[in-house]
Amino acid sequence: MIEINRREEGDPYVRRLKFKKDGFFTGPEAAHRRQIYKGAGYMDEDFDKPHIGVANAWTEASPAHMHLRRLAECVKAGIWQAGGVPFEFGVFATCGNIPIGTENLKYELAIRDALAASVEIMSKVHLFGGLVLLASCDNIIPGQLMGAARVNLPSIMVTGGPMLAGQWSKGTVVSPDINEAVFGALPVDAISEQELSEMENHSCPGAGACPVMGTANTMQILTEAMGMALFGSATIPAVFADKQRAARATGQQIVELVKQGIRPSDVVTEGALTNAIVVNAAIGGSTNAPLHIMSLGRELGIEIELGRFDEISRNTPLLSSVIPNGPHTIIDFYKAGGVPSLLKELEPLLDPHALTANGSTLADLLRKTSSSHGEAIASLDTPVKKEGGLAVLKGNIAPRGAIVRTSAIKSEMLVHSGPAKVFNSDQEAWEAIIEGGIQPGDFIVVRYEGVKGAPGMKEVMLSTDALCGVGLEGSVGLITDGRFSGFNHGPIIGHISPEAMEGGVLAIIEDGDMIEVDIPARRLNVRLSEGEIGRRLGSWQPPEVKTKTGFLALYAKMALPADQGAAMQSWS
């Protein structure tokens, strides 16, 4: 209760203004607020209803988000139908495929924090009672979820869904095929420009996220798995009418969640996040997922150690054979039953008591769910692989950990060693691969691409795509303090912590040093004595900072290291 006295107590003109606890928009003292919304076309009867912010990442600059304007209209229709009042507002969305090959790619992870702040600010200033989030891709989804968790208003996400798979004269084509062709096959004349042009014209046939197990679909699936999207909604293809119906149902449900007072802190519990980690292991999800899960948990006061991902992956079989873990697309995954059928297969490994945005527990929802009915989702009895798709490695190169996607590596590269070829950027490593400077058995080291070094923890995509494009992914390893796209596959190890810019051992590795990796044993080492490592570190000096101004400079100063999620949460 806040009281404002215009004059001294006892003055006959004293007027006390009381802000009622039951709403910010009722009574004469709220006229200054109502006037603004009336100017925007709202009516008197709208002020005693739940006000729902609709955070829309619509943009014309990406097929993944170009259809969200229509989905937002469906959400708003559902909100009106349920007795709420929607207030749509825009948040930005980027596509990481656009800046590949430029230094601007390093913005992609850091934007989570800008997105979270955008949701936080709009929600706080406009006094919303609930939120619906619309997004499709990579860092946009976790950024919005982090913002919703921060304000802790009743919230649900509508994922944009996957696009249909492209088809050309030689069969299915998806966007990772183009990337590998551009940065690997084309420079060494392994593909013609005419073939590339035909692939390019068919790889993205319409709206939705790229239909592979990249970061976009990984995060769409995990959003539903942790209960923040309506059950069965996340992987509905973008162009299906079912997606619009799910959006309308979401609009209706958010009003119910506001009435019941169900908040992200009630849904995204430690059990729910553990479920998400189990699902990520089972789908062979993107290596970026740990960054997002750890950062989201921290917004709600839940600390998740990096080692938890490895522990769960060791005890969770791989059930998904979606590219790059197998031949299928996300459309096949959806046809096999989608997230509900996957969760049904994983039911013995999940926390059944986790509450969902449906207002029901996971156990309640799974009672009505059938098992998988397609090849893209295997069963616990006949998994794709006995262990999950992610491993955390440690050793003298990565005492705080490094991450590898085990589900997308050829078996002969699970244990290997080789002489280091050291590069201080992804671009330098790519040039060496294309020019024939990398031979079978080599071990590429790409450093100064981490949280502080890039800055921004850049996706090391040029060199990884080139290795696949020239056929070296079965004989050459790569380690980096940067990260990877969810498209990338092969014997590539990222997120090395501490990173080179922090004075990690990665900074003092030299050409010819023997790098040794044993993924089943979770080991990553350079064959150097402790004395030699200490001697080199003693004479090491950090290079000049690459970015000294702007948002990335701020990110480099404020963000936590990769093994803690790499978000601007140093204050926590």
Side-chain angles (χ1 to χ4, degrees):
M1 186 78 73
I2 301 175
E3 296 187 350
I4 301 177
N5 295 325
R6 290 180 182 267
R7 303 191 181 198
E8 293 296 326
E9 190 70 39
D11 190 303
Y13 297 102
V14 162
R15 179 186 178 101
R16 292 179 182 273
L17 300 181
K18 298 182 179 181
F19 296 114
K20 299 180 180 179
K21 291 183 179 180
D22 59 351
F24 293 105
F25 293 92
T26 56
E29 66 273 13
H32 66 290
R33 297 190 178 112
R34 293 193 300 270
Q35 67 171 334
I36 299 301
Y37 283 155
K38 285 182 175 180
Y42 292 89
M43 304 172 69
D44 281 323
E45 54 262 41
D46 296 330
F47 295 114
D48 60 354
K49 300 175 181 177
H51 286 190
I52 310 297
V54 180
N56 190 358
W58 171 82
T59 174
E60 293 180 332
S62 166
H65 292 88
M66 70 181 188
H67 61 304
L68 295 188
R69 177 174 281 177
R70 173 59 183 151
L71 291 185
E73 292 301 320
C74 296
V75 168
K76 290 188 291 183
I79 292 171
W80 284 118
Q81 287 175 329
V85 182
F87 295 84
E88 183 182 357
F89 63 95
V91 294
F92 70 85
T94 59
C95 177
N97 229 51
I98 299 295
I100 295 173
T102 76
E103 284 301 297
N104 294 334
L105 184 59
K106 60 193 178 185
Y107 279 93
E108 277 296 293
L109 181 64
I111 63 175
R112 284 185 310 174
D113 298 295
L115 286 161
S118 178
V119 172
E120 173 191 4
I121 291 166
M122 280 295 295
S123 301
K124 292 286 190 181
V125 172
H126 281 265
L127 308 174
F128 295 141
L131 287 168
V132 177
L133 316 165
L134 291 97
S136 297
C137 276
D138 297 24
N139 306 291
I140 316 303
I141 292 174
Q144 288 192 1
L145 288 174
M146 287 163 62
R150 190 175 298 173
V151 298
N152 202 26
L153 293 172
S155 303
I156 316 181
M157 172 159 277
V158 174
T159 65
M163 70 171 63
L164 301 181
Q167 299 294 324
W168 71 309
S169 61
K170 295 186 179 181
T172 299
V173 60
V174 290
S175 50
D177 298 327
I178 305 297
N179 296 352
E180 291 179 13
V182 169
F183 299 111
L186 186 65
V188 296
D189 298 322
I191 188 174
S192 70
E193 290 188 22
Q194 182 177 350
E195 287 179 303
L196 179 60
S197 178
E198 185 183 351
M199 293 171 65
E200 170 192 341
N201 289 334
H202 294 87
S203 59
C204 290
C210 301
V212 299
M213 198 60 78
T215 307
N217 283 305
T218 295
M219 294 312 301
Q220 293 196 46
I221 290 169
L222 297 188
T223 299
E224 183 177 331
M226 70 178 71
M228 284 297 289
L230 289 186
F231 196 65
S233 67
T235 60
I236 300 172
V239 297
F240 283 16
D242 280 350
K243 178 60 73 174
Q244 296 180 36
R245 287 191 283 270
R248 181 175 291 196
T250 299
Q252 294 171 334
Q253 181 63 10
I254 188 60
V255 177
E256 185 62 28
L257 292 186
V258 171
K259 291 177 180 178
Q260 294 183 26
I262 297 176
R263 302 171 181 270
S265 57
D266 301 311
V267 175
V268 187
T269 60
E270 185 172 354
L273 290 173
T274 298
N275 287 347
I277 298 172
V278 170
V279 169
N280 188 64
I283 63 176
S286 169
T287 51
N288 291 307
L291 298 174
H292 302 323
I293 292 172
M294 286 190 287
S295 297
L296 176 58
R298 188 170 289 105
E299 293 290 346
L300 293 165
I302 303 169
E303 293 290 333
I304 298 175
E305 298 291 333
L306 183 61
R308 183 76 174 132
F309 292 86
D310 188 75
E311 175 189 342
I312 289 175
S313 189
R314 282 184 181 272
N315 294 286
T316 303
L318 179 71
L319 301 186
S320 167
S321 53
V322 172
I323 301 168
N325 304 315
H328 298 103
T329 69
I330 289 290
I331 307 303
D332 300 319
F333 180 92
Y334 170 71
K335 291 178 179 178
V339 179
S341 289
L342 176 73
L343 294 175
K344 186 68 174 180
E345 295 290 349
L346 292 169
E347 190 170 9
L349 305 178
L350 300 174
D351 179 354
H353 305 295
L355 185 64
T356 71
N358 289 69
S360 307
T361 65
L362 182 60
D364 291 334
L365 295 170
L366 290 179
R367 287 192 191 100
K368 307 171 187 177
T369 302
S370 61
S371 298
S372 169
H373 44 268
E375 293 181 358
I377 302 176
S379 69
L380 283 177
D381 294 332
T382 57
V384 179
K385 293 184 178 180
K386 292 182 179 180
E387 290 190 5
L390 187 143
V392 176
L393 312 184
K394 290 190 175 182
N396 61 9
I397 295 178
R400 297 207 306 252
I403 290 178
V404 61
R405 192 181 200 172
T406 55
S407 55
I409 301 177
K410 295 179 179 179
S411 58
E412 61 267 27
M413 292 298 288
L414 292 174
V415 178
H416 62 287
S417 62
K421 294 288 184 70
V422 182
F423 305 94
N424 291 337
S425 72
D426 184 27
Q427 180 76 28
E428 292 177 11
W430 175 77
E431 291 173 355
I433 294 168
I434 296 305
E435 293 170 1
I438 303 298
Q439 303 301 318
D442 286 343
F443 223 121
I444 297 172
V445 176
V446 179
R447 61 192 180 194
Y448 300 116
E449 295 285 22
V451 172
K452 299 182 183 300
M457 203 177 178
K458 185 177 170 188
E459 288 182 345
V460 177
M461 287 191 70
L462 296 180
S463 47
T464 51
D465 282 340
L467 285 176
C468 294
V470 301
L472 288 175
E473 78 276 13
S475 59
V476 173
L478 183 149
I479 61 173
T480 181
D481 50 8
R483 60 193 185 96
F484 304 116
S485 164
F487 294 172
N488 295 141
H489 58 98
I492 52 178
I493 300 165
H495 303 214
I496 287 177
S497 188
E499 64 175 282
M501 198 67 176
E502 288 185 300
V505 171
L506 199 68
I508 53 88
I509 294 176
E510 299 175 356
D511 283 345
D513 290 343
M514 290 298 295
I515 308 296
E516 302 173 331
V517 61
D518 186 332
I519 292 173
R522 303 306 199 251
R523 291 197 297 266
L524 174 63
N525 291 292
V526 58
R527 196 182 298 169
L528 294 173
S529 67
E530 291 185 10
E532 177 61 14
I533 290 173
R535 184 190 67 78
R536 293 187 189 182
L537 286 174
S539 59
W540 173 81
Q541 293 294 323
E544 185 176 357
V545 175
K546 296 178 184 177
T547 302
K548 299 179 181 179
T549 60
F551 180 67
L552 287 179
L554 180 63
Y555 174 82
K557 292 180 180 179
M558 292 294 296
L560 292 169
D563 61 288
Q564 297 181 51
M568 293 171 65
Q569 297 172 318
S570 297
W571 40 264
S572 61

